[in-house]
Amino acid sequence: MSKGILLPALFLPNISYFHVIKNHEEPILIEQFENFPKQTFRTRAKIATANGTLDLIVPTVHGKRMHVPMKDIRINYDHPWQRLHWLSLQTAYRSSPYFEYYEDDFAPFFEKKFEFLLDFNVQQLEMMLKMLKLKRDISFTDSYQYAEGEMDYRNVFRPKSNPLQNPAKPYYQLFEENNGFRSNLSAVDLLFNHGPQAKNFL
């Protein structure tokens, strides 16, 4: 297996995810053979709205098999979740300083239909790495490795317990005055509020 920092493929990855990447110069190694864990950031992203934190969730196709590798998870389009997600992002961030700056880059992810969740998430990661000016090569695992170590972050990013919950410096958020500072949101929150300076807050 290639060497690098071992990460899961997350949906619109959160700030702690990019904090880890910024603090490691090694290439990124995406886990694609793990048994897909439900109710994680692989299908969930948190954004800040006028009414508080909102979860955006990508629905997946549920087959009969109990254990399905991440690389084989398909996205479910039975409901218009893409349109609803994009409306939520527009409503939440239209007034932020840099939403229009990045709008055309994010829009295709809520227009084009991706078959596999892994492809959907990794293409977002590649785009956001460029926006955050983090140059990293990305490769994929060729099997599941059980060994854990300081470079293994596959099980760190959990919605209910995250040891990297507040890794970034506090930064200006659009609704902070009403709702207080919300930590560890999707990095889109940082990008839409601070644009090219976002990397400085990681």
Side-chain angles (χ1 to χ4, degrees):
M1 185 173 70
S2 302
K3 297 295 184 181
I5 174 174
L6 190 53
L7 291 166
L10 304 188
F11 168 50
L12 295 178
N14 54 37
I15 290 170
S16 63
Y17 188 90
F18 288 105
H19 172 79
V20 166
I21 292 172
K22 185 185 177 186
N23 285 280
H24 289 81
E25 295 183 354
E26 293 80 5
I28 294 170
L29 185 61
I30 296 293
E31 176 60 71
Q32 63 172 342
F33 285 93
E34 63 179 354
N35 290 330
F36 175 65
K38 298 178 181 178
Q39 299 182 347
T40 69
F41 286 124
R42 289 156 183 81
T43 55
R44 181 187 306 256
K46 293 182 179 292
I47 64 171
T49 74
N51 297 317
T53 303
L54 174 67
D55 283 358
L56 303 179
I57 300 173
V58 178
T60 57
V61 176
H62 299 289
K64 294 181 179 179
R65 291 185 295 165
M66 289 289 292
H67 302 298
V68 181
M70 175 68 180
K71 69 181 183 64
D72 295 332
I73 294 296
R74 286 178 163 82
I75 298 175
N76 189 330
Y77 293 98
D78 288 347
H79 302 286
W81 63 268
Q82 286 178 296
R83 182 176 64 83
L84 297 174
H85 280 196
W86 188 236
L87 285 172
S88 295
L89 285 164
Q90 288 176 311
T91 301
Y93 295 109
R94 176 62 70 192
S95 299
S96 64
Y98 290 94
F99 180 80
E100 291 185 359
Y101 185 79
Y102 294 119
E103 181 177 11
D104 291 342
D105 296 304
F106 281 97
F109 290 100
F110 304 97
E111 297 167 351
K112 175 184 174 182
K113 289 188 176 181
F114 290 74
E115 183 178 2
F116 292 99
L117 179 66
L118 184 67
D119 297 332
F120 182 62
N121 288 355
V122 169
Q123 287 190 34
Q124 293 167 32
L125 171 60
E126 291 172 339
M127 179 186 71
M128 294 172 75
L129 285 171
K130 290 179 182 178
M131 292 174 175
L132 290 165
K133 302 173 185 176
L134 296 170
K135 295 182 180 180
R136 299 290 187 278
D137 291 329
I138 296 177
S139 59
F140 299 87
T141 57
D142 50 25
S143 64
Y144 187 83
Q145 303 293 317
Y146 290 94
E148 296 182 358
E150 62 180 11
M151 300 291 284
D152 185 351
Y153 288 89
R154 290 174 294 183
N155 297 308
V156 168
F157 310 101
R158 299 173 181 268
K160 295 184 179 179
S161 63
N162 187 352
L164 301 174
Q165 188 63 34
N166 193 17
K169 303 173 186 176
Y171 59 90
Y172 165 78
Q173 290 178 334
L174 197 59
F175 305 107
E176 184 176 358
E177 186 174 331
N178 296 328
N179 299 323
F181 181 77
R182 304 289 172 133
S183 65
N184 203 29
L185 299 173
S186 166
V188 300
D189 186 79
L190 182 56
L191 283 164
F192 292 153
N193 283 307
H194 291 276
Q197 302 304 314
K199 180 181 178 181
N200 297 334
F201 293 90
L202 295 175

